[in-house]
Amino acid sequence: MKLTALLATLMLTASALTAATVYDAPVKDTKGKDTSLKAFQGKVILVVNVASKCGLTPQYNGLEATYKKYQANGLVVAGFPCNQFGKQEPGTNEEILSFCSTKYNVTFPMFDKLEVNGPGRHPLYKTLIGEGGKDIGWNFGKFLVGRDGKVIKRFEPKTAPDAPELTAAIEAALAAK
């Protein structure tokens, strides 16, 4: 009887680690301060795990262009640095921000470095991937999140920010009210 209660408690605790929406997942800003994505509630969010020393790093240009093009319609691009793939994001948050702003003129919100795979997978990525979802394959994996805070579609790292399928999905999400 006690074992059954303990197992039930553990199952509830484990399921609580996956937030219902991206707004419920705690994140940190680039200064390490606790925050969330609640400020973007009601907007469409493109969540991207980014890296500064990757062959895909030039995607920052496309991400910024996409952000600028659709920001007034309610799109937010949210960058989450990750050093899990080839150690291609070794810098501090300050170094990452400096690189992004000087090299790529990034103005979209950036957050604290986190892990997207493995036992240290951040709660945000547990929510994005979902139970039993496949791991992130590399830097610049993208998740399009609807105004309700739930994932609409996942795009693999090599999908360019201006790819027709991503653009169409963003436009459809922005049109949905």
Side-chain angles (χ1 to χ4, degrees), residues 11 17 23 32 34 38 45 161:
M11 288 173 63
L17 296 176
Y23 307 129
D34 291 333
K38 285 183 180 166
I45 308 169

Side-chain angles (χ1 to χ4, degrees), residues 57-68 77 104 108 160-162:
T57 299
Q59 283 194 23
Y60 272 122
N61 284 324
L63 291 169
E64 181 64 19
T66 299
Y67 177 58
K68 289 205 166 167
V77 174
Y104 292 101
F108 58 80
D162 62 351

Side-chain angles (χ1 to χ4, degrees), residues 120-136:
R121 178 178 285 153
H122 189 277
L124 173 64
Y125 275 81
K126 288 180 182 178
T127 301
L128 292 169
I129 292 170
E131 288 294 319
K134 71 176 190 161
D135 280 349
I136 304 298

Side-chain angles (χ1 to χ4, degrees), residues 63-84:
L63 291 169
E64 181 64 19
T66 299
Y67 177 58
K68 289 205 166 167
K69 180 177 181 178
Y70 295 107
Q71 180 183 14
N73 299 93
L75 177 72
V76 175
V77 174
F80 288 88
C82 178
N83 196 37
Q84 285 188 289

Side-chain angles (χ1 to χ4, degrees), residues 6-60:
L6 177 61
L7 286 174
T9 301
L10 287 172
M11 288 173 63
L12 284 173
T13 303
S15 66
L17 296 176
T18 302
T21 70
V22 297
Y23 307 129
D24 302 316
V27 296
K28 292 185 183 289
D29 66 16
T30 56
K31 298 201 182 326
K33 182 181 169 208
D34 291 333
T35 188
S36 71
L37 298 180
K38 285 183 180 166
F40 308 131
Q41 208 157 3
K43 295 185 182 275
V44 173
I45 308 169
L46 185 63
V47 177
V48 187
N49 64 299
V50 296
S52 301
K53 300 188 182 311
C54 173
L56 299 175
T57 299
Q59 283 194 23
Y60 272 122

